[in-house]
Structure formats: C-alpha cells, structure tokens
Amino acid sequence: MPTNVVMPQMGESIFEGTITKWLKKVGDSVQRDEPLFEISTDKVDAEIPASASGVLREIKVAEGATVEINTVVAVIAEIGEASGGGDAVTVDAAKEAKASAVATAPENAHEPVPPPGGGSQPSAARQTENKKDEPTPPPADGDPLNAPEGFANSTASSSASNGSGAGPGTNVVMPQMGESIFEGTITKWLKKAGDTVQRDEPLFEISTDKVDAEIPAPASGVLREIKVQEGKTVEINTVVAVIGGRGAGAASPQTSPSAPSPDKKQAAPSAPQPQQAAASASAGERIRSSPLVRRIAKDNNLDLGQISGTGSGGRITKEDALGHLSQHGKGSAAPAPQASAPAASVATTSPAAQAQPSAAAASGAQVGAPTPGELVPLSKMRGIIAQRMVESKHTSAHVHTVFKIDMTRIVRLREKEKSKYEQRNGVKLTFMPFIASAAVTCLRKMPIINASMEGNAIRYHQNINLGIAVALDWGLIVPVVKQAEERSFLGIARAIADLAARARAKKLKPEEASGGTFTITNPGIFGEQFGTPVINQPETAILGVGGMFKEPTVLTDADGNDTIAIRSIMRLTLGFDHRIIDGADAGKFMAEMKKTLENWTGEIG
C-alpha cells in the first residue's frame, strides 16, 4: 500500500512550510529516513527524511509552493506497486500545478491529513516504522470531522463508509496525545475481536510519557481485527485495529494475523545479532535509526556507532538508545554485549527453567539455596518516571530546605467551615488549597522561584502554573493548574479537585499535564514527616508537603512570656535548583510561606 508523505509541523507555532527543493524525482527509489525534500519555515530550514522505503510514485507539491502542515506532498509506493500505478505525475506536471496552487485555497489544492483529536500531526521524520504496511490515507470523502472529538484518527474505504461492511473498514490508529509525544503503549483492550462497538465508546487504554488515557472508537461497527496487543509500544499513527461495518465479521476471534503471538515473537530469528549490527556500523555502512533515536542521541551526546541495534536489519531502536543511556550515561560508549548474555537472561527468568529442578536440587544438595524472584518489566509510565527523575538529577543542582509551619489557625478554620463549605461549593475543603494559594502569593513576591533555566539565561514566567502531583495506583502524574495567579481560593480548590479526579479516571488531556512552572507534591498524606522531592524539569523548585502532627510547641506572648502548647505542625520542604536560586532566596520564600500560613486571613469562598 502507498504511504503519504506530509508537510511536517516543525514547531508548535508553525502552521505552514515551503518546499524549497526535492532531493528525489518521480520514479526514484528511496530508503526510509533518507533525505527526501527540503523545506523552509519562519523558524527553520530543514531536510525532511522519507517516511518509508519504496519508489517515489507521485510529487503533489512543486518546489517553491507553500502549503499548510499535514498537507500530503508526495506518495511513496512499495516496489511492486510502482510499475502498476498510472496516476503518477512528473516533476514538470507538479511544477505546472504550482500556478493553480497559488490561485486555489490550500484545502482545494491538496489533501490534508487530519490530526488526531485535533492535535498536530507528527513530522515526516517521526512517521511510524510500520508505515510501509499501515499507511494513514486521508479520511473518507476528505472529511476531517470523521475523526471523533476524542483522540483516535481513522480512515475508511468507500464501502466501509457506506455501511456495507466490506473492504478494509475503518483503521484505528495510535493517536498523538501532544506535540512532543511520538509513541504510546496499549495497556488494555476494552473490547475483543468480534465485539460490536459504538462510535466514541471507549475502545482501548494507552499510556504515554504525559498521560494515561482511554481512547474512543472512531466509528461504529464490529471490531474486526486487533493488530497491536496489550503491552506493546508503537509510534503514533500506527494502525492498531480495524473496525468493519455492522455486517462485517471479525477476521479472528483472538489475535489478528498482523499481531504475532508471544511465541512467535520469541522465536523470530530474522533480527540480526547485536554483534552483526555493531560490525556493520564499524565497517562504514550507514547507521540505521529513526529520527526519534537520532534526537535522543543528539540530546545526550551519544555515538550511535557505539550502540548495538536490535531492530530489523540492525536498526537502532529507541529501547536500544535508552538502554545504552541508562547503563552508560551521556556521551559514553558501551562495549559490544556478549553473545551468551541474552540466552543467560532468558534462562534465568524462563518459567520452564524454574519449573524443572536440577538433579542436585532433587538430591537435596541445593536445599535452601536462594532463588530469583519474579522479573516484571517496567510499565510505560514507570519507565518514563525513571527516565525523568534521572534526567532531573543530572540537570539541576538539588538543594533542600525544611521549615516547620504552625497550621493550628488553618486547622481550626477548616474544622469550623468544611461541612458548610462543601455544601455551598460542591468541593471538599482540604489543606492543599491553603498551601497552593499561599504559594501563589509568595511566588508573586519572589518570581525567581517561579523561573526556569533556558541555556545560559533565566526565563521569568509571566504566569504561575501550579503542578499538583497526583499519586495513581499505576504511577504518578502532575496535572497543572494554569494561570493560578488569576484564580480565587475557591477557583484553585475546584481546579485541583477536578484535575485529580480526571487524572485517576484517565480523562486528562495532554496539555493539562504539561507547562507547569512550580510543583507541589503531598507525600505527607501517608504520614511522613517530610521528604526531599526531585525537581520537575524544566522548573527550578518544588514544594514538598509533610504530614500534619500535634506537637508540643513553645509559644511566646507579647510580653515575652513562654508557654508550652499542643499545636498542629506541618513541615514544608523546598527543593530548589542552586544554579539560579541561592539559599538566601529559598529561605526568604519559605519564611514568607510560613508567615502567610500561620497568620491566615484570606477568604476561602
């Protein structure tokens, strides 16, 4: 099947690009990731690589033409398809089309590919590795509204769209959940092959490095085929399932032919050995990797020639790059792995190996010997958390300061008002809005705590976007209360309750879990005195909230007389980046927090 090549989005604020040069002509063979054309935008000039291997069958946009992002600019056909296609245009024909492109609206001149869920499409450099087999053609009848308001993008054949149930049906793709998200992991299928599904009904759950979310069905019909199984990570726009018309039956009640069983995955012998990949790189052959892998290598100063590729044909996968980074650090080279290492690893964790006791164990010689526990791979979210925490420790010079806060005044106010407050406002009165409101007040006075580092400069943010860490059964997420400085106490309380509830229900939007400028985390709910939290990059400070404890405290009256009283004490910890925040500034901020909370006079709504 052909693969559409689209005008990529080269940045959040870029909506169009100009093709300055085609590096291939119609009929030329192209390799995936080989430079295909050059573009110019208002921010960058760039070479765009081919999204698939094959033959350049058609050039739709000539050199010099400016088109909107996601416009189809070319078509790459598989080798066997190229000779049969009679609809290919020549470069000259494409140039002749330039005049009409100038005079005609972009939507009439080209074929835009609708972004999933209204978000941005990935650049051509980020196309899925499965694109060759699973292209994303434009929606039926050119209607971008075919995609639901949720997230899943779909394409349908004419037979599927007219309800006959024949033909390829409606493709369900891995959605793009944000501009910087290139892949997702299917954590759970909510339907099985053969089930009837309704449009916008939850179909499967995914996990990305920003959010966990339920993805709705893009059309009504029968779930004919599941192409990607639970636990598998694929790039955005990969076709993960097919929905047929109501008359269509499932291709298989279990797994589709495209989704190999676990046994087949383990037995696949076609992938080259890591030593072979390393040897080919050292022999001067072109290193095969995706744009995402090259970006990881560039950001972390990695030499791709030193990384063994385990993908098809020796391709270096994202897992190869991240594994090398976690094991050897930035800018380092790793020795080639021993051939026996993978086999040894499998043998240690194989259930069959554990089920068969050795002769020595059977004779009693090994009684009491230690046995390995269960080896469970990291979930998508857990892996991302691990990566982010290590990156933060490598990036920021972490320092922590702890202050004791007498919360007695607020405790008494809350006990007096909480019932009426919930009846009046429909939200519970917790301690978090008090702390968040106090933080906003203090951040206004000390903007350096709300700043971030950009290269060799400091970015002073105009808005205060409060990240509120939410513990989930499967990990941790930080939804963000945007423009908190413009919200009242009640507005902050409602926003925190809403974001936390939707985070636990997997209903957050990607933009609601990004863009924070200062984070508050509350591990004190589990009873700890205080913690030393890790800074949420690219922020420069994080506030840790400890538990509330009744403690004997010395009180001094206006005449200087001391007494001991039982007070409600909480410890707040400020973790800050010493590169731009001095200890004096951190101390001033926390002293202001202490003063604001201990002498609370604010309205609570």
Side-chain angles (χ1 to χ4, degrees):
M1 296 179 69
T3 299
N4 288 335
V5 180
V6 301
M7 174 61 69
Q9 184 171 26
M10 302 299 292
E12 186 174 2
S13 61
I14 297 177
F15 306 111
E16 63 182 18
T18 301
I19 294 184
T20 55
K21 185 178 181 181
W22 282 99
L23 305 176
K24 296 284 185 178
K25 63 182 183 295
V26 172
D28 283 354
S29 296
V30 295
Q31 297 297 319
R32 178 181 173 85
D33 295 341
E34 182 182 15
L36 181 60
F37 61 104
E38 296 177 354
I39 68 169
S40 178
T41 73
D42 59 355
K43 286 198 170 51
V44 293
D45 290 354
E47 281 186 351
I48 305 303
S51 54
S53 298
V55 175
L56 183 58
R57 190 174 79 180
E58 184 177 3
I59 292 177
K60 291 178 172 286
V61 179
E63 292 178 0
T66 300
V67 294
E68 295 179 350
I69 59 170
N70 302 324
T71 299
V72 177
V73 300
V75 177
I76 296 175
E78 294 181 353
I79 299 295
E81 291 181 321
S83 59
D87 58 344
V89 299
T90 64
V91 176
D92 291 336
K95 289 180 178 176
E96 292 173 3
K98 177 182 175 181
S100 62
V102 173
T104 312
E107 57 266 28
N108 295 329
H110 309 294
E111 301 172 19
V113 179
S120 63
Q121 279 284 74
S123 68
R126 299 172 182 159
Q127 298 297 315
T128 170
E129 292 190 3
N130 297 330
K131 206 71 170 186
K132 177 179 176 182
D133 300 318
E134 301 165 344
T136 308
D141 303 322
D143 182 10
L145 297 180
N146 260 350
E149 191 177 343
F151 304 105
N153 185 14
S154 64
T155 57
S157 68
S158 58
S159 59
S161 61
N162 65 25
S164 67
T170 299
N171 287 338
V172 182
V173 302
M174 174 61 68
Q176 184 171 26
M177 301 296 292
E179 183 188 1
S180 61
I181 297 177
F182 308 130
E183 64 182 15
T185 300
I186 294 183
T187 54
K188 185 178 182 182
W189 280 101
L190 304 175
K191 296 284 185 176
K192 61 181 183 295
D195 284 356
T196 300
V197 296
Q198 299 296 323
R199 178 185 172 93
D200 294 336
E201 180 183 12
L203 182 59
F204 60 103
E205 295 180 357
I206 68 169
S207 179
T208 73
D209 60 358
K210 290 273 196 302
V211 292
D212 286 5
E214 287 183 345
I215 305 304
S220 297
V222 174
L223 183 57
R224 180 190 300 175
E225 185 178 5
I226 292 177
K227 289 177 172 284
V228 178
Q229 297 305 298
E230 292 179 356
K232 188 171 182 182
T233 300
V234 294
E235 295 185 13
I236 57 172
N237 296 329
T238 298
V239 177
V240 300
V242 178
I243 296 176
R246 293 192 178 276
S252 166
Q254 300 297 327
T255 325
S256 79
S258 332
S261 68
D263 292 338
K264 290 183 180 178
K265 290 179 185 176
Q266 294 173 0
S270 58
Q273 296 299 319
Q275 293 88 338
Q276 295 174 345
S280 66
S282 61
E285 297 180 9
R286 190 173 77 89
I287 299 173
R288 302 188 65 198
S289 62
S290 69
L292 175 58
V293 168
R294 293 196 291 274
R295 183 173 66 85
I296 293 172
K298 181 180 178 182
D299 291 346
N300 296 281
N301 194 26
L302 299 180
D303 180 3
L304 290 179
Q306 300 297 323
I307 301 177
S308 299
T310 60
S312 175
R315 175 183 295 275
I316 299 173
T317 66
K318 178 191 173 188
E319 287 71 23
D320 296 331
L322 292 180
H324 177 89
L325 180 63
S326 63
Q327 188 174 2
H328 302 284
K330 295 184 178 181
S332 60
Q338 297 298 322
S340 59
S345 173
V346 172
T348 334
T349 57
S350 167
Q354 294 177 4
Q356 297 294 331
S358 66
S363 66
Q366 297 295 324
V367 172
T371 57
E374 184 182 8
L375 182 63
V376 180
L378 291 178
S379 66
K380 177 71 175 180
M381 176 175 281
R382 191 77 263 155
I384 291 299
I385 291 173
Q387 181 184 343
R388 294 287 186 265
M389 295 300 97
V390 172
E391 287 176 355
S392 182
K393 281 290 191 178
H394 278 302
T395 300
S396 296
H398 280 68
V399 183
H400 294 86
T401 182
V402 183
F403 272 58
K404 287 176 64 174
I405 313 294
D406 187 343
M407 296 285 287
T408 307
R409 186 185 187 97
I410 289 177
V411 168
R412 290 172 179 169
L413 174 63
R414 177 177 175 271
E415 285 299 318
K416 177 183 176 182
E417 297 289 337
K418 66 179 183 181
S419 297
K420 292 182 290 184
Y421 187 89
E422 184 173 358
Q423 292 174 3
R424 185 168 66 246
N425 300 310
V427 61
K428 291 183 178 180
L429 182 60
T430 67
F431 291 113
M432 184 57 75
F434 290 96
I435 296 167
S437 296
V440 170
T441 299
C442 298
L443 289 169
R444 280 174 167 172
K445 296 178 179 179
M446 298 200 63
I448 186 64
I449 311 297
N450 191 54
S452 60
M453 192 130 178
E454 292 186 14
N456 292 320
I458 300 173
R459 169 77 66 184
Y460 288 91
H461 298 289
Q462 184 173 353
N463 297 120
I464 298 173
N465 297 335
L466 287 183
I468 307 295
V470 177
L472 308 172
D473 291 340
W474 55 95
L476 180 76
I477 196 168
V478 185
V480 178
V481 179
K482 301 290 179 66
Q483 296 174 294
E485 78 280 2
E486 297 181 2
R487 298 176 184 261
S488 64
F489 180 97
L490 177 57
I492 290 176
R494 282 176 169 162
I496 291 173
D498 171 62
L499 289 170
R502 287 193 290 115
R504 295 185 179 101
K506 300 182 179 180
K507 301 295 184 183
L508 277 183
K509 299 175 183 176
E511 59 270 21
E512 293 175 323
S514 61
T517 60
F518 182 84
T519 293
I520 302 175
T521 181
N522 183 20
I525 59 174
F526 303 109
E528 68 180 45
Q529 292 278 342
F530 65 91
T532 55
V534 178
I535 296 169
N536 189 17
Q537 296 296 323
E539 300 164 20
T540 54
I542 183 169
L543 186 70
V545 179
M548 186 84 73
F549 300 94
K550 289 187 176 182
E551 299 179 7
T553 306
V554 176
L555 302 179
T556 305
D557 63 20
D559 297 325
N561 299 314
D562 292 338
T563 57
I564 295 178
I566 302 299
R567 309 289 286 183
S568 296
I569 301 297
M570 173 185 285
R571 288 161 179 81
L572 298 182
T573 303
L574 182 71
F576 59 97
D577 188 344
H578 213 335
R579 293 180 301 168
I580 64 173
I581 300 177
D582 293 330
D585 289 330
K588 290 176 184 176
F589 174 81
M590 291 300 287
E592 192 66 29
M593 283 287 295
K594 179 180 176 70
K595 177 182 175 182
T596 304
L597 291 169
E598 291 185 344
N599 301 282
W600 184 270
T601 57
E603 294 291 332
I604 63 172

